[in-house]
Amino acid sequence: MTGTDFCRAVFLVLAMAGPGAAHVIWLRSDAARRMGWPVDGGLTLRGRRIFGANKRLAGFVVLPPAAGLSFWILAGLWAMLPGALPAMIWPLSGLQYCLLGLACGFAFLLAELPNSFVKRQFDVAPGAAPRASVFRVFSTVLDRFDSVIGCLIVAGLFVPVSLATWAWVLALGTGQHALFSFAMFRLGLKERAL
């Protein structure tokens, strides 16, 4: 594990923090509610919704572009840090950081869909916790890691992301994701805090 691994992890977590906050605020807005079209288009499988009512296209309006902007701005600020710190993230142009952020923003949202699909097929209501304790624990853990893992997979398609960076991002990013989930709960956007 190197300082570069840690710096890259901190960069990824910080770069997704602002877009995550913007996403929470956006979903609370009247404009987002008016754009409440479901990602699954209302389609069903075995008489159950594919993803459910909580997965709406409105979620894709703010988070990906905000992530693109955030990556670009943070990379510019990071370049102004003293010493060797600027060299510890990837040598990309501003546009490349913007595209990386955009891809990570989409990945963050898309990675939540498989868990939603499984929960709908087991009759778990959108935003609710499964009743069976083993499934509840598995689902809660997956809720904390799915988006972070999605971002890491997509980031790894474009830039080197070491196992140590994965470990740091999973440790730091899942905590951040839990805070956003709690914020969404407090704002009435989710039925449960965890």
Side-chain angles (χ1 to χ4, degrees):
M1 192 171 298
T2 67
T4 298
D5 299 321
F6 180 72
C7 283
R8 288 176 174 175
V10 168
F11 179 87
L12 289 170
V13 171
L14 288 177
M16 289 303 294
H23 181 68
V24 170
I25 293 166
W26 162 249
L27 290 179
R28 187 76 173 142
S29 73
D30 289 336
R33 281 191 282 279
R34 284 192 298 272
M35 297 179 69
W37 310 297
V39 170
D40 62 15
L43 297 174
T44 61
L45 177 68
R46 299 182 324 122
R48 297 168 178 94
R49 288 283 298 274
I50 302 291
F51 302 122
N54 283 1
K55 299 302 176 197
R56 300 174 294 145
L57 291 175
F60 289 86
V61 171
V62 168
L63 185 62
L69 183 63
S70 177
F71 273 60
W72 176 66
I73 290 170
L74 185 59
L77 294 172
W78 199 284
M80 293 188 272
L81 292 173
L85 287 174
M88 290 184 158
I89 57 172
W90 304 279
L92 303 174
S93 70
L95 177 60
Q96 288 170 322
Y97 270 109
C98 185
L99 293 174
L100 178 62
L102 186 66
C104 285
F106 275 111
F108 186 93
L109 296 170
L110 292 173
E112 293 180 336
L113 297 180
N115 190 24
S116 293
F117 172 77
V118 170
K119 287 194 286 189
R120 296 307 82 77
Q121 294 308 302
F122 282 94
D123 291 323
V124 178
R131 288 183 211 93
S133 60
V134 172
F135 188 30
R136 183 181 306 122
V137 170
F138 176 76
S139 178
T140 300
V141 169
L142 192 56
D143 277 342
R144 296 299 150 252
F145 287 95
D146 55 6
S147 295
V148 176
I149 289 171
C151 286
L152 285 166
I153 290 170
V154 166
L157 296 175
F158 297 99
V159 292
V161 181
S162 69
L163 289 177
T165 300
W166 268 73
W168 278 114
V169 170
L170 288 172
L172 300 170
T174 53
Q176 175 184 304
H177 191 221
L179 286 174
F180 284 126
S181 289
F182 181 73
M184 290 176 74
F185 167 74
R186 294 291 294 174
L187 291 171
L189 298 171
K190 288 183 81 165
E191 292 180 23
R192 58 192 176 94
L194 294 176

